[in-house]
Amino acid sequence: MSQALRDDPAAAGEGRVAAQPRTGMGLLFRAWLPILLFGLLALVPLLAKLGAEGFIISLLTRVVILGLAAMALDLLIGFGGLVSFGHAAFIGIGAYSVGILSSHGQEDLLVQLAVAAAVSVAFALASGAIALRTHGVYFIMITLAFGQMLFFLATSLAAYGGDDGLTLSGRSTLAGRPLLKGDVTLYYLSLAVLLLAYLLCRRLVASRFGRVLRGARENEIRMEAIGFEPFPYRLVAYAVAGALAGIAGVLLANQSEFVSPAVMSWQRSGDLIFMVVLGGLGTLHGAIIGSAAFLLIEEVLSHFTEHWRIIFGPLLILAVLFIRGGLVGRLGRGL
Amino acid sequence: MSATLLMIQALNGLQFGLILFLIAAGLTLVFGVMDFINLAHGVQYMVGAYLTAAFAAWTGSFLYGLVLALPTALAFGLVLEVLIFRHLYDRDHLDQVLATFGVIIFLNEAVRLIWGAAPLSVPMPEALSGSIALPGGISYPVFRLVIIGAGIGVAALLYLLVNHTRIGMLIRAGATNAPMVSALGVNIRLLFTIVFGFGAMLAGFAGAMVSPILSVEPGMGDNVLILAFVVIVIGGIGSVRGAFLAALLIGLVDTLGRLLAPTLLRMLLDPAAASQTGRAIAPMLIYILMAAVLFVRPAGLFPAKR
């Protein structure tokens, strides 16, 4: 009992979610920001025709794919108050679904997506059933440990490359045809998946389900008192977030045509959390902006020095200490 | 597989478990007293190993290296506490995770920049480099026995410190109910700084002790950190006794699991499949163990908070 009181998320939740702008301009901006974002993402490849197309498309595809995984994580952290530190494991499940199925000759994208989503949901239900029995720091560490478990499983799969990973013979096919061969096609497919997932998540958080989830984040005891057991709602959210990240993993494997345990390292899980927080918790589209900002920072810094992480680490610390409410909150307030 | 091999692996598991305990002890107290999640605890272990390597190369002796590395690791931990961690205590766990994650990224890269990406090796002290015959016809490296002895010694010292001194009493009280201890007029921030520095030094000590037998390389603290998390989750956050038992359990299960899993599976599967599956299952064993413990006791074996 006292544990639950101590962990009262109301105090922690306050001020964490991106500040809601009150001015007319800010409100307008907030409503239009997602449309602006998706519009930009749809148009940029056309501009890229002017130069360095391959590079820009590949960077944007990664922005979109990691944005999808980060958005799924925002569903957990921003709306459920559940800080999962093992989310990259689901990207790994998706990537390895492609790697393992295609090495056995099954290269159809729809089959791979279905397998990735099904395995992700199964793993999420099994690990979530244990992890969600705990709170706070325990939850963070247990999700981290489950992520590591899959990581080590992947490194020991000698038949599928083990530590070194495996190179795909080619991208997935759709109805037997190599439709994803073109980078631009893959980009627009990823963007379409992201848009669909975004609309799904929007509906989800606005529904009764989403309100229970947010209510349980603010005050678990009160939710129980009015007759809602948070556990099943959280478990479903965990499974949905897992399935979306699994789908992101399928796309990521196709983008790089390479699968290795590195996609599910715990540092990758940390990167995903950073994207969500950087963009602004509990906004969904903020996670996509966070993903873009993260990959741009990485790209720009690694341009200057191979030891770019020595700048990136302090940047991360400063962002945590000084940017509250994330970029979306900042942008909204700035207008 | 012979009984000798089993004995040697059991000793290796004990040694690994004690190293994990040295790391987990500081981590569990930091969690327990301040409810502060410090991912950067693993890099203290790495820093300890690198400092020992650097000082040992400078003085030409592992022992001098160790003696110089310990206070430096302590000072380093205190500097981090004052510069960064102190500003995070009032933040929620999410901010703590991210900021300390940033510290890991920075220090791993800093180490790579200063000493290079290639592993360093630390010369083993001459007197401890041989093997010793144990009862049962086992020959075992002396240095690993020294690690076991040092680990048990530190555990005994910690037991006395935590259970039979005034500061230990305050630490236990802080882990049970920090606001109440603070209300009774104890400077909990100062207490925490002491605990933090001490924990950093213990992790540094663990890194120093393994530096002659493992390769000293960037990122060496990351995996150990996650194992230390598993240890304190199983043991119960804030409990040194829990951390000790869980660390030994994890050390033994991990080491013996890698040896026994393929052998046991051979009873069920053909040899090739058994060794394949065994190698895949062995590294997952400790996480399965953790899941099982948490399924029965969500707050670990010896939770400090009630």
Side-chain angles (χ1 to χ4, degrees):
Chain A
M1 184 66 187
S2 75
Q3 176 74 25
L5 278 175
R6 192 194 311 282
D7 283 351
D8 183 0
E14 208 63 52
R16 285 317 313 243
V17 174
Q20 314 261 327
R22 285 183 190 83
T23 60
M25 269 305 275
L27 206 67
L28 195 68
F29 181 76
R30 213 172 76 87
W32 283 93
L33 186 57
I35 299 174
L36 190 71
L37 175 67
F38 278 102
L40 267 180
L41 285 173
L43 290 177
V44 167
L46 302 178
L47 294 176
K49 291 239 189 293
L50 300 175
E53 188 183 9
F55 169 74
I56 292 179
I57 294 286
S58 127
L59 180 67
L60 274 179
T61 312
R62 280 190 297 138
V63 165
V64 165
I65 294 171
L66 291 178
L68 174 60
M71 188 180 73
L73 187 59
D74 191 24
L75 200 60
L76 292 180
I77 302 183
F79 294 91
L82 304 165
V83 183
S84 164
F85 206 146
H87 211 58
F90 295 103
I91 298 185
I93 290 177
Y96 270 88
S97 302
V98 176
I100 294 176
L101 284 174
S102 72
S103 73
H104 290 288
Q106 178 53 266
E107 294 195 326
D108 192 85
L109 182 70
L110 293 178
V111 176
Q112 291 171 343
L113 282 175
V115 169
V119 177
S120 297
V121 167
F123 180 68
L125 290 179
S127 66
I130 294 166
L132 288 169
R133 285 161 55 89
T134 62
H135 289 94
V137 172
Y138 279 97
F139 183 78
I140 298 175
M141 288 191 282
I142 291 159
T143 46
L144 177 62
F146 277 124
Q148 281 304 99
M149 186 173 101
L150 280 200
F151 175 81
F152 284 117
L153 179 66
T155 58
S156 63
L157 288 176
Y160 304 106
D163 259 334
D164 303 324
L166 77 167
T167 307
L168 303 182
S169 55
R171 288 190 177 154
S172 306
T173 56
L174 208 54
R177 267 173 285 174
L179 290 177
L180 299 184
K181 221 167 158 73
D183 286 342
V184 178
T185 325
L186 180 67
Y187 172 70
Y188 279 110
L189 175 78
S190 307
L191 188 59
V193 172
L194 178 67
L195 182 61
L196 273 180
Y198 177 74
L199 294 175
L200 173 85
C201 289
R202 268 270 156 261
R203 287 294 294 272
L204 206 58
V205 297
S207 69
R208 179 171 167 278
F209 172 84
R211 283 202 293 274
V212 175
L213 201 60
R214 273 179 292 162
R217 178 195 70 197
E218 296 302 333
N219 194 325
E220 192 171 341
I221 293 169
R222 246 181 257 168
M223 281 314 283
E224 282 174 6
I226 59 172
F228 290 99
E229 177 69 45
F231 177 79
Y233 290 88
R234 286 176 171 161
L235 192 60
V236 169
Y238 196 65
V240 170
L244 289 178
I247 290 170
V250 171
L251 296 171
L252 192 67
N254 270 297
Q255 192 266 330
S256 56
E257 299 185 37
F258 176 69
V259 176
S260 84
V263 298
M264 57 207 302
S265 70
W266 71 280
Q267 285 92 342
R268 185 47 97 186
S269 296
D271 292 346
L272 286 175
I273 297 181
F274 180 49
M275 290 173 195
V276 175
V277 173
L278 182 65
L281 278 176
T283 57
L284 295 178
H285 52 274
I288 306 167
I289 296 173
S291 154
F294 176 89
L295 289 172
L296 275 178
I297 295 172
E298 180 179 315
E299 206 57 59
V300 169
L301 288 184
S302 59
H303 217 71
F304 287 122
T305 163
E306 77 173 287
H307 297 288
W308 60 277
R309 287 190 188 83
I310 208 153
I311 308 169
F312 182 70
L315 270 185
L316 206 165
I317 301 169
L318 292 176
V320 171
L321 290 177
F322 298 111
I323 306 183
R324 314 216 56 179
L327 291 175
V328 168
R330 279 276 136 149
L331 291 169
R333 273 198 298 277
L335 279 169
Chain B
M1 186 191 53
S2 63
T4 327
L5 185 59
L6 196 66
M7 269 302 292
I8 288 179
Q9 286 299 352
L11 281 173
N12 283 343
L14 182 66
Q15 176 243 308
F16 181 46
L18 286 164
I19 288 293
L20 281 181
F21 168 68
L22 290 180
I23 299 160
L27 200 57
T28 199
L29 285 177
V30 165
F31 269 131
V33 179
M34 290 306 272
D35 198 25
F36 173 59
I37 177 163
N38 179 17
L39 297 184
H41 200 71
V43 294
Q44 301 280 4
Y45 165 84
M46 176 183 76
V47 165
Y50 268 99
L51 286 174
T52 311
F55 284 127
W58 183 51
T59 59
S61 143
F62 170 76
L63 193 66
Y64 287 139
L66 177 69
V67 168
L68 286 174
L70 283 184
T72 319
L74 173 70
F76 188 74
L78 290 178
V79 167
L80 280 183
E81 204 265 343
V82 171
L83 277 184
I84 300 166
F85 301 151
R86 186 165 286 187
H87 308 289
L88 294 167
Y89 299 152
D90 298 330
R91 298 295 192 85
D92 58 23
H93 292 141
L94 186 57
D95 281 347
Q96 297 171 352
V97 162
L98 271 181
T100 54
F101 181 60
V103 173
I104 298 184
I105 294 176
F106 173 73
L107 285 177
N108 275 344
E109 201 60 36
V111 157
R112 196 170 288 138
L113 199 63
I114 299 171
W115 284 286
L120 302 184
S121 63
V122 177
M124 195 172 284
E126 197 64 39
L128 305 174
S129 61
S131 288
I132 195 170
L134 293 182
I138 307 164
S139 151
Y140 197 72
V142 178
F143 192 78
R144 283 178 185 266
L145 284 180
V146 171
I147 294 181
I148 292 176
I152 292 175
V154 170
L157 210 65
L158 262 181
Y159 170 78
L160 287 178
L161 193 69
V162 171
N163 288 310
H164 295 284
T165 63
R166 185 172 169 77
I167 194 156
M169 184 189 74
L170 291 177
I171 291 171
R172 276 181 292 136
T176 311
N177 192 337
M180 188 58 79
V181 176
S182 184
L184 289 172
V186 176
N187 185 344
I188 197 106
R189 283 289 161 101
L190 179 68
L191 178 72
F192 181 68
T193 306
I194 295 171
V195 170
F196 191 91
F198 191 66
M201 193 177 69
L202 279 183
F205 179 60
M209 288 308 283
V210 298
S211 62
I213 55 172
L214 296 179
S215 56
V216 178
E217 57 192 347
M220 66 185 281
D222 298 357
N223 283 335
V224 171
L225 169 81
I226 292 161
L227 291 179
F229 276 166
V230 173
V231 164
I232 65 175
V233 165
I234 290 182
I237 289 174
S239 162
V240 176
R241 180 175 56 148
F244 182 71
L245 292 175
L248 293 188
L249 190 66
I250 291 293
L252 287 171
V253 166
D254 192 50
T255 312
L256 292 180
R258 281 164 209 272
L259 180 71
L260 293 178
T263 318
L264 291 180
L265 281 172
R266 211 161 294 164
M267 296 175 199
L268 302 171
L269 303 165
D270 67 279
S275 81
Q276 177 89 40
T277 330
R279 269 207 302 278
I281 288 179
M284 296 168 64
L285 275 180
I286 50 173
Y287 302 106
I288 296 168
L289 177 73
M290 178 194 75
V293 168
L294 287 175
F295 193 76
V296 187
R297 305 189 61 139
L301 295 176
F302 301 96
K305 282 196 201 315
R306 264 164 286 273

